[in-house]
Every structure is written in structure tokens, then in C-alpha cells.
Amino acid sequence: MPVEVSNESEIAVDEAELAGICRFVLGKMDVNPMAELSVLCVDVEYMSSLHERWMGEKGPTDVLAFPMDELDTARPDDPDPGPALLGDVVLCPAVAVRQARAAGHTMDDELVLLATHGVLHLLGYDHMEPDEEKEMFGLQSQLIESWRSAPREPVTGEERAPVKPAPSSREQTPR
């Protein structure tokens, strides 16, 4: 599942972790594996401008989700539908830092929560009404808990050295 993470903020973020949680959530929610997602981390000023333009509210927010109007971009008679763009999740790490301190966890934990929240919004979940909020936040918690307990290889950013087979006793070694 293609997930592109781009960090244009002044704060270093774990891009691999953000892509990982997004792929996990999309997989658990049975989203077509060909769907594409974009995650963008921005600074306070840019997030404030997006928040005011699209939500009519001043100041920065933690996460905004911009779904595409149509998830299925393939023709109905196409036997092999191509990738569809799910939408964009925009995160503000500076706001995430403040919220993480208030919640008593790390910025990375907060960004995982916010990315999950944004993906759920792209999938049509909302929290405007009490019953919607209960459903969305309950699902969000279940997904994050499940992701944290799932076995994963650590991402180090280092390439793995190729494993060379041991030479057999019949092979000649170069001199």
C-alpha cells in the first residue's frame, strides 16, 4: 500500500513509523492495497493557514484530513483497476509536541495517534456527534493498540549486508 510521508516541518519525525501506522490502519480497515495515501508534516504557520482556509478557525491544529472525492478512479469495465488516491493527512509536529507533553507521552506516540485519526477521517469517520465520537475514538484506540502489539522489524535506515553462502569444500578460493 503506497504511503508517501514528507516532512516539511522544522521538527524531525519518524517518517518510517508514520508510514507504518498508516499502512497498518489501511490494511486493518480492508482498504484496497492499491490505494495511495500522502502524509505531510508541516510547520505551525502553514498549518494555521490550512486550518483557517478549510475549517474557518484561527491558529494551528494537530491534524487535517483531505479526502479525495472518489475512492474508485478506475472505469467500471476495467478488469485491473489502477491505484486510487485516498487523500492527504496533514500533521503539525509542533502541535503534537505540546499535546504529547500534556498527555504524558512522546511526540512519536502523539503522531501515531494523529496519523491514525487522520486516516479514519479519510475513511469517513467523524466525531461531531457523541455516538460518532465514541465509535471513532474506540476504533482509533483498538487500531493503535493492535499496531503496538503486532511484531515488527525495527527500522534502522541501514542497509542489510547481503548474506554470503559459505563456500563448499569443492569450490576453489581465489588467490
Side-chain angles (χ1 to χ4, degrees), residues 2-92:
V3 175
E4 180 182 326
V5 178
S6 179
N7 185 11
E8 296 179 6
S9 76
E10 65 281 359
I11 298 172
V13 300
D14 188 339
E15 293 177 31
E17 184 175 52
L18 287 175
I21 185 62
C22 290
R23 278 191 205 94
F24 182 85
V25 169
L26 293 171
K28 286 290 189 184
M29 299 301 293
D30 294 322
V31 173
N32 183 325
M34 295 294 288
E36 297 177 10
L37 172 67
S38 170
V39 178
L40 179 63
C41 297
V42 299
D43 62 21
V44 170
E45 183 179 328
Y46 190 67
M47 183 58 102
S48 295
S49 69
L50 290 176
H51 196 212
E52 186 168 351
R53 178 177 179 187
W54 296 103
M55 304 301 288
E57 298 179 25
K58 292 209 180 275
T61 189
D62 50 6
V63 58
L64 290 171
F66 297 95
M68 295 302 290
D69 291 334
E70 295 184 31
L71 293 179
D72 186 8
T73 60
R75 292 173 32 149
D77 60 345
D78 187 355
D80 297 315
L85 184 58
L86 185 60
D88 301 314
V89 173
V90 183
L91 305 172
C92 187

Side-chain angles (χ1 to χ4, degrees), residues 118-136:
V119 170
L120 289 176
H121 273 306
L122 291 180
L123 297 177
Y125 288 86
D126 208 345
H127 47 86
M128 297 301 285
E129 301 296 326
D131 57 330
E132 292 176 334
E133 181 177 351
K134 184 178 179 182
E135 179 185 15
M136 183 177 182

